[in-house]
Amino acid sequence: MKAFFVYMTAPSKEEAERICSALIEERLAACANILPGASSVYWWEGKVETANEAVCILKTTAAVYHELERRAVELHPYKVPCVVALKLENGHAPFLEWVGAETK
């Protein structure tokens, strides 16, 4: 079973909770960690911007990642949200099995 960490940012803790809760309820992720208070610096529309954001780390499988990405973008308030997957090469087997069991 191939598992992923999905890294996503959101404009606030509340928005992150709303999006992550929906993804978990829809069985597209087994769980999410929400880390509020991230400071972001980025290029947007030709200038440097700064923002306070919440970082989300979701655990999912390769089998449902594309559906998770589609749904996260649909739920997200940003025009171009950051939703990226990082393949897990190794991990505690019972945890990875749980991730697989808790997703579609």
Side-chain angles (χ1 to χ4, degrees):
M1 191 262 315
K2 293 181 185 176
F4 288 154
F5 276 163
V6 177
Y7 176 89
M8 180 178 72
T9 57
S12 67
K13 180 182 179 226
E14 294 74 23
E15 281 292 313
E17 288 172 344
R18 180 183 66 78
I19 296 166
C20 290
S21 292
L23 296 173
I24 291 167
E25 287 170 11
E26 295 172 23
R27 308 293 289 214
L28 299 174
C31 66
N33 302 111
I34 298 171
L35 310 167
S39 297
S40 297
V41 181
Y42 54 94
W43 278 102
W44 184 249
E45 298 182 343
K47 62 182 178 176
V48 175
E49 298 281 347
T50 60
N52 291 320
E53 296 183 300
V55 170
C56 308
I57 304 169
L58 298 110
K59 290 80 166 190
T60 194
T61 63
V64 299
Y65 170 73
H66 291 291
E67 190 176 348
L68 180 149
E69 179 186 317
R70 179 198 59 76
R71 186 69 173 126
V73 169
E74 180 178 277
L75 293 166
H76 211 288
Y78 288 170
K79 185 177 179 180
V80 183
C82 172
V83 182
V84 296
L86 305 163
K87 183 179 176 185
L88 299 177
E89 295 293 328
N90 294 294
H92 183 56
F95 176 77
L96 297 176
E97 290 166 10
W98 173 79
V99 169
E102 297 304 326
T103 57
K104 288 184 182 178

